[in-house]
Amino acid sequence: MARRLSLQLTGRPLPVPSRARFLPYLLLLPSLVLAAGVIFWPVGDLLEIATNDVNRFGQLRGFNDFANFKALVADPNFTAALIRTVVWTVAVVGGTILISVPVALILNEDFYGRDVARVIVMLPWAVSLTMTAIVWRWALNGESGMLNSALRGLGLIDTNIQWLATADLAFPVQIGIGILVTIPFTTTIFLGGLSSIPPDLYEASALEGAGPWQQFRHITLPLLKPFLNIAMVLNTIYVFNSFPIIWVMTQGGPANSTDILVTHLYKLGFRIGKLGEASAVSVVTLAILLVFTIVYVRLAMREEAR
Amino acid sequence: MSRKWKRTLVAWVLLAPLMVLILFPFAVMTITALKPQAEVLNPTWWPSELRFRNLVEMWDATNFGQALLNSLYASGLATVGAILMSIPAAYAMSRFRFAGRGLVRQFLLVSQMLSPIVLVVGLFRLMASLGLVESVSAVGLVYMAFNIAFTVWMLQSYFDTVPKDLEEAAWMEGAGRFETLRRVFLPLVTPAIAVTAIFTFINAWNEFVIALTLLRRQESYTLPIQVFSLVAGRYTVEWHHVMGATLVATLPVAILFAWLQRYLVRGLALGAVK
Amino acid sequence: MTKTALFKLGLAAGLSLVAVAAAQAGTVRVTVAEYSAKTGPYFEEAAKSFEAANPGTDIEIEVVPWDVLLQKLTTDIAGGSNADLSIIGTRWLLDFVSQEVAEPLDAYITDEFKGRFIDTFLSPSVMDGKTYGLPIAASARAMYYNKALFEQAGIAEPPKTWDELKTSAEKISGLGGEVYGFGLQGKEIETDVYFYYGMWSYGAEILGADGTSGLDDPGAIEAAKLYKGLIDAKATQPGVTSYSREDVQNLFKQGKVGMMITAPFLSNQIKEEAPDLKYGVTAIPAGPSGDRGTYGVTDSIIMFKNSQVKDEAWKFMDYLFTTEMRSKFTEGEGFLPVNKEVAASDYFVNNADLKEFTALLPDARFAPVISGWEEIAQITSDALQKIYLGEGDLEATLKDAAAKADAILKQ
């Protein structure tokens, strides 16, 4: 009884018996060792390359006074790619969340064929991004693409649309495809979140006369918040780093007008062979994400504490 | 009954636009895969015949079977490993208060930010120095590492929603920590583990950059690399084979979804999580 | 450092399940570029028959898609795990030589061996008097035209000059029904090359006599105006910046464009995929002064300096360049023969399409041997895409690109 009381007073975590003080560390050890070994090891390497004069095969030729970073700042293509990356990330993540919340709500309802609907919504996830992008590129071809052919068949257009010829059209199309492939992951997270909301909360509020909108605002949304946060942070990271859609469809072209940081990085590193500058782009990318994550976690924590 | 029908109608009407967009590439894939070769470049939706023989030819022409096995192996290894390692970790994060807990959380979050494309040079140098280039197991291991932050995080979020009363009740009855974990806790979180396992499997199944860098012989290619190699820089592309391979590569995962979906729904429907 | 070693040891021990493919003596690893679905099987077969004739030597073939070949070689070399032999684009060779990655082959090359080759194709891989690579694949470019479309548009002869080409292209586009005169490539690999055809005809070179970029020469500006004029007159397919080489070839195979410039392998594709297409091959159009140029490309197979099995590797190279192996490869992939005996064989002597290509060889330009060539190609392609899209002033765009290229050339 006393144990129970103390628990309620101290809040969430269980009290740890003294003999088990090392237990949590032991439980965490394998995960941390693996993550540190495989992921953080290369980061050190990357930092070294980024601050060195380096040839195209990665042989280091000594510290070069941050010339790689200076070269980036002086390159208008880099700045343009940076801005475009922000647009890309905000548009894809924002669009995804706006669509996924109602989709998850619908899929959480009880209706005929729900299992089928769920499987269909998950389907884009079953295909690797690379393959999706290849299929879309094929479908969007101006003269022999099946999208134009379908739209013409339906009488929606008279002349073929050149989907990928200009950034004005290509970039929004890529954002749309980005949203489409991000929806399954996001919806699944939200479905998981929705299922963790106890139904009696709704019953109770219904008894008090709350309508569906009020229920959504006062029960669903607040309780979904942690899952929204997860979706927001993870999607931002994924989308920011997302490579195949843009690379396969336009390779960042025409004239670099659909380049984002990772495609710029790839071109620099593996097409042109400037590994130093490419590593510098990596470092900048990491720094941006780090700042974003820290700020976001701080904000989320402050809210939670409230 | 009629209310459910009404709900069904509304739900499907609302979902329809999204469904069309989602199914469109699959239709393109399927039709192109089954077209006779002479019609592949013609964007018609109604080929003169559906040639299922294409798929058989594709299987041989693209070394599909081997790539499928490699993909299954790497993804399976990554999933099992990541889940086995992250259950204890997530349990520790959820149920213990210990010094450095916040630090671990941030460490995991930061490791989540490092995407393979950004790290690819360093990663390759690491693997090469260990003599692990060309090893499908090593690719599975890297997937494991890249997924672990996510699985821990995901599992912890679910674990946090499981009330501690049940475990405490078991403790009060004199059960040990491990026994409580096994008999009370784990059954409650099985659906969460299943969902997390799907996430991991899919991530590994679809991964591109690491496999592209670490695997270089056809015998060790995974599916995405195998399909990519059919279009990347070749002088001619057999589109019906490419689409056929994509289609067949998609099937196992689609089936996995359909199967686990039901399991997932049932698990959640039990209302175990209250 | 001990920490590092310890860590690696620990990690390696933890990975005992992972089989490490140790390089045993007598194993020759060969990285090959995948030109078509036939490439992999060809080299596997070559390896098998070589192994049968040379017991004790193992040949391991690594087939790599073209688009990622350079990346793979880069990471391989950076990680010290490169193969013993590799196919590379000859235009990359300078980097490999100046970084001392490639082994000179002169010690192995006998006069008999050298005598097998047509000189034009061997010379690009010779640097400072040393031979660093052997031409494994060679091609040049010529113009394909669709005879049926020419007939419909009432054109008797394929165009000989760019002015004639413009008239013909406009006529074909005028047929309507989504048929276009001139297939113009505007995306991805070799977008710059597609422009050089015009540029060479108007007397400009990639690198001028003074070693600076020729992109701002009057000839280059004329050529750009010509191409842009074709686009504006709707004599090309619409949306050129979304068409890669492969896409334009597809249009040609479907009979949707009247003319396009590309390599011999299109003939092989047409034979397999569009056997009913009536087409001809002719020279690339000439400019006002009669200048013309085709693009000659070779890919080389090189030996790496850090190879432990150089003698065995050379033996395999030697085997690949026997007449029998060469003709099988060249015919299968649709390349030009680099070997004199292969060129004299019936297949090539009686091939009308290929004759057009070989006839153009005296006018062939190879990619200039300069470091930073890929970056210059990228800059050129970007500038061309801008011009094709009608963004900014044409001359200013070319001048800007030339200035950027010059900055790279100076390094």
Side-chain angles (χ1 to χ4, degrees), chain C residues 162-181:
Chain C
W162 285 97
D163 285 338
E164 285 176 38
L165 180 135
K166 192 170 184 210
T167 325
S168 311
E170 282 172 1
K171 273 189 196 157
I172 293 171
S173 283
L175 293 171
E178 285 170 3
V179 166
Y180 311 102

Side-chain angles (χ1 to χ4, degrees), chain B residues 190-204:
Chain B
T190 319
I193 293 176
V195 178
T196 313
I198 306 178
F199 279 127
T200 314
F201 189 87
I202 302 302
N203 279 345

Side-chain angles (χ1 to χ4, degrees), chain B residues 169-221:
Chain B
W171 284 21
M172 303 285 279
E173 284 159 23
R177 184 177 279 277
F178 182 73
E179 211 183 323
T180 314
L181 192 70
R182 196 172 58 85
R183 292 225 332 258
V184 182
F185 187 74
L186 280 183
L188 282 177
V189 296
T190 319
I193 293 176
V195 178
T196 313
I198 306 178
F199 279 127
T200 314
F201 189 87
I202 302 302
N203 279 345
W205 182 262
N206 291 340
E207 200 284 333
F208 179 64
V209 176
I210 295 171
L212 184 66
T213 322
L214 291 183
L215 306 175
R216 56 222 30 248
R217 285 168 48 197
Q218 276 213 320
E219 298 95 271
S220 48
Y221 276 180

Side-chain angles (χ1 to χ4, degrees), chain C residues 37-339:
Chain C
K38 290 174 185 158
T39 317
Y42 166 82
F43 279 102
E44 287 297 345
E45 219 186 297
K48 232 179 248 159
S49 56
F50 179 81
E51 282 166 2
N54 297 273
T57 307
D58 254 344
I59 305 287
E60 272 183 27
I61 304 287
E62 301 168 358
V63 185
V64 179
W66 237 119
D67 262 15
V68 294
L69 179 61
L70 187 56
Q71 181 214 329
K72 247 181 186 173
L73 289 171
T74 307
T75 37
D76 269 4
I77 295 166
S81 65
N82 52 276
D84 300 297
L85 300 174
S86 178
I87 292 181
I88 66 166
T90 307
R91 55 192 180 279
W92 308 334
L93 187 59
L94 185 68
D95 279 339
F96 284 69
V97 172
S98 65
Q99 306 297 342
E100 302 193 348
V101 176
E103 173 82 10
L105 301 171
D106 302 275
Y108 301 98
I109 296 177
T110 59
D111 285 345
E112 178 273 325
F113 187 84
K114 204 168 194 165
R116 294 183 205 168
F117 292 91
I118 298 170
D119 275 347
T120 325
F121 290 123
L122 195 55
S123 55
S125 20
V126 178
M127 273 162 211
D128 299 330
K130 286 185 194 155
T131 309
Y132 285 96
L134 301 173
I136 189 91
S139 82
R141 304 296 149 81
M143 191 164 81
Y144 287 71
Y145 65 100
N146 182 318
K147 287 183 175 163
L149 287 178
F150 269 62
E151 209 168 287
Q152 275 178 48
I155 311 164
E157 291 267 304
K160 295 208 164 42
T161 66
W162 285 97
D163 285 338
E164 285 176 38
L165 180 135
K166 192 170 184 210
T167 325
S168 311
E170 282 172 1
K171 273 189 196 157
I172 293 171
S173 283
L175 293 171
E178 285 170 3
V179 166
Y180 311 102
F182 183 62
L184 179 57
Q185 177 193 343
K187 186 183 181 184
E188 294 174 8
I189 186 170
E190 290 195 1
T191 297
D192 54 330
V193 172
Y194 217 93
F195 171 71
Y196 298 146
Y197 305 133
M199 199 172 104
W200 287 324
S201 304
Y202 282 83
E205 296 291 333
I206 300 175
L207 292 185
D210 56 351
T212 60
S213 167
L215 278 178
D216 52 354
D217 283 2
I221 293 167
E222 279 307 305
K225 281 185 182 154
L226 167 81
Y227 279 30
K228 181 71 174 102
L230 287 169
I231 295 171
D232 290 341
K234 301 203 189 311
T236 66
Q237 84 278 16
V240 291
T241 46
S242 62
Y243 283 87
S244 67
R245 177 175 67 194
E246 201 251 331
D247 294 327
V248 183
Q249 286 176 178
N250 284 346
L251 283 184
F252 189 83
K253 285 182 236 170
Q254 288 169 268
K256 287 189 179 174
V257 293
M259 296 165 270
M260 83 166 293
I261 300 170
T262 190
F265 46 69
L266 182 62
S267 303
N268 285 25
Q269 296 173 30
I270 292 173
K271 212 182 291 165
E272 282 172 22
E273 295 168 39
D276 300 332
L277 191 76
K278 292 205 169 40
Y279 72 97
V281 180
T282 184
I284 291 170
S289 60
D291 281 342
R292 73 168 99 224
T294 183
Y295 184 56
V297 204
T298 62
D299 292 337
S300 298
I301 185 161
I302 62 159
M303 190 189 287
F304 284 100
K305 208 158 214 161
N306 62 358
S307 168
Q308 302 293 316
V309 285
K310 285 181 185 146
D311 290 336
E312 288 89 341
W314 171 258
K315 258 180 126 178
F316 185 61
M317 260 182 165
D318 186 65
Y319 177 68
L320 285 178
F321 284 94
T322 56
T323 303
E324 184 203 350
M325 292 313 288
R326 279 279 73 196
S327 62
K328 207 166 145 196
F329 180 75
T330 315
E331 285 171 31
E333 303 284 1
F335 288 128
L336 294 181
V338 297
N339 178 309

Side-chain angles (χ1 to χ4, degrees), chain A residues 223-236:
Chain A
L223 287 173
L224 209 53
K225 197 90 195 244
F227 297 89
L228 274 168
N229 280 338
I230 289 194
M232 197 87 129
V233 175
L234 288 185
N235 277 336
T236 301

